[in-house]
Amino acid sequence: LEDIGVVWDLESDRWDKNYQLLVEFKRQEGHCNAPQSHKKNDLGTWLFRQRVKKKNGTLDAAREKKLEDIGVAWDPGSERCSERWDKNYQLLVEFQRRNGHCDM
């Protein structure tokens, strides 16, 4: 039956397909933060569900590792905030070098 395409574990099959979509998304976009509003497929919603499972402690450890290995951020909001802070700090350092002060 497998030879003609019968899938016995639909949940695992769907997970693997979504994981491959995420790998492709990262290849194209350079990150794994597919938004929930992602229109091409339900990748953003699927990723959100994986984050919820991780938070609740119900995400399979092997799946969690696979997601971490490709760079999934478990709390992308806090990561973006940190990245924004770092970028703004660098801008302030450059301003101070040019102007000799940090008075904005």
Side-chain angles (χ1 to χ4, degrees):
L1 290 173
E2 292 87 1
D3 291 341
I4 62 169
V6 172
V7 176
W8 299 106
D9 187 348
L10 292 176
E11 194 271 334
S12 280
D13 186 62
R14 272 193 299 270
W15 195 94
D16 291 339
K17 286 178 181 173
N18 280 307
Y19 175 79
Q20 289 307 315
L21 288 172
L22 184 58
V23 168
E24 179 62 20
F25 178 90
K26 181 179 181 179
R27 188 188 67 72
Q28 291 177 359
E29 303 296 329
H31 61 81
C32 293
N33 293 326
Q36 276 189 269
S37 60
H38 188 60
K39 300 294 182 205
K40 188 174 181 181
N41 49 46
D42 291 332
L43 183 59
T45 300
W46 176 81
L47 183 56
F48 173 78
R49 287 186 192 128
Q50 303 315 298
R51 288 178 173 135
V52 169
K53 286 180 179 184
K54 160 93 166 123
K55 184 177 180 180
N56 294 338
T58 59
L59 181 61
D60 177 78
R63 290 178 175 178
E64 181 178 336
K65 178 156 179 18
K66 280 183 83 167
L67 293 169
E68 287 175 353
D69 286 349
I70 63 167
V72 167
W74 296 114
D75 189 0
S78 67
E79 187 172 286
R80 281 193 298 270
C81 183
S82 176
E83 289 172 3
R84 190 169 40 249
W85 191 94
D86 290 342
K87 180 181 175 187
N88 285 332
Y89 175 77
Q90 287 304 317
L91 290 171
L92 180 60
V93 168
E94 291 170 21
F95 179 89
Q96 193 279 335
R97 280 191 200 131
R98 282 193 314 271
N99 299 293
H101 61 82
C102 292
D103 299 335
M104 303 289 284

